[in-house]
Amino acid sequence: MDRRAFVRHSGLATGGALLAAATTPSMAHNAVKTPFEVPATYIPIVGSDEKFPVRRIYCIGRNYAAHAREMGSDPTREPPFFFQKPTDAIQHVSAGTVADHPYPPLTKNYHYEAELVAVLGKGGRNVPVDQALNLVYGYTLGLDMTRRDLQRALGDEKKPWEIGKSFDHSAPIGAVHKVAQTGHFTQGAIWLKVNGQTKQSADLKDMIWSVAEQIAKLSEAFELMPGDIIYAGTPDNVGPVVRGDVIEMHIDGLPNLSVKIV
Ligand code: MN
């Protein structure tokens, strides 16, 4: 069992003795005695035996003009805004599989949002746009699953929309593709189908704020760090799914991602 597998599975063991036996330097901070183990979150990296460690999940809102309009705002006047999902909201979905995705509690209007995801291998503060892509380790695709009824109701009440966006399993995601293998994603088709029927269809070049601009803006508000990932926003025609539906999403240059709502 390699070190990462050890960390992931150590919750099954009686932690202390095994952790104390770990001797690699990078494990040193994990040697702290704890009453129980909390698993870390990793995403597989295509073509590597390493896994990408997820630190924070940032998401940008209303980053395609048509989607901003359908959500009731004016895309020409709004600076980008961001929210976070908890790291353990990640549900990795292997290419070529259809993963079961649980319909969450409390909602009667559960929506898909197909998104490009940039993952960072470097950090920084106040990163200029023309240097921002140097932070990108790779890309993948993901779903920003949303309890739309709760998001809207909380927004209407000027309350945080946390439980509309930041719930368990709300971030299905594919494996990471290193930027050296894919290049940067500035254009190309992005689409999403439900039960084989096209629901969302757009081009990445229609993003209001590019990945580089998103990184630059985010880094004004937060110190970005390796392991941070950014869901880059969804095109228009978001909509509901129910149990039994199969979602398939695509971005040119990446393998499709599919989940079945259960
Ligand atoms: Mn989104």
Side-chain angles (χ1 to χ4, degrees), residues 60 83 113 115 144 165 233-234:
I60 185 171
F83 59 94
E113 295 190 358
E115 310 203 1
D144 167 15
K165 282 288 193 181
T234 195

Side-chain angles (χ1 to χ4, degrees), residues 59-62 67 83 85 113-115 143-146 148 165 231-234:
C59 305
I60 185 171
R62 295 171 198 163
H67 175 59
F83 59 94
K85 290 176 183 271
E113 295 190 358
E115 310 203 1
L143 295 166
D144 167 15
M145 297 304 292
T146 302
R148 190 73 68 200
K165 282 288 193 181
Y231 276 66
T234 195

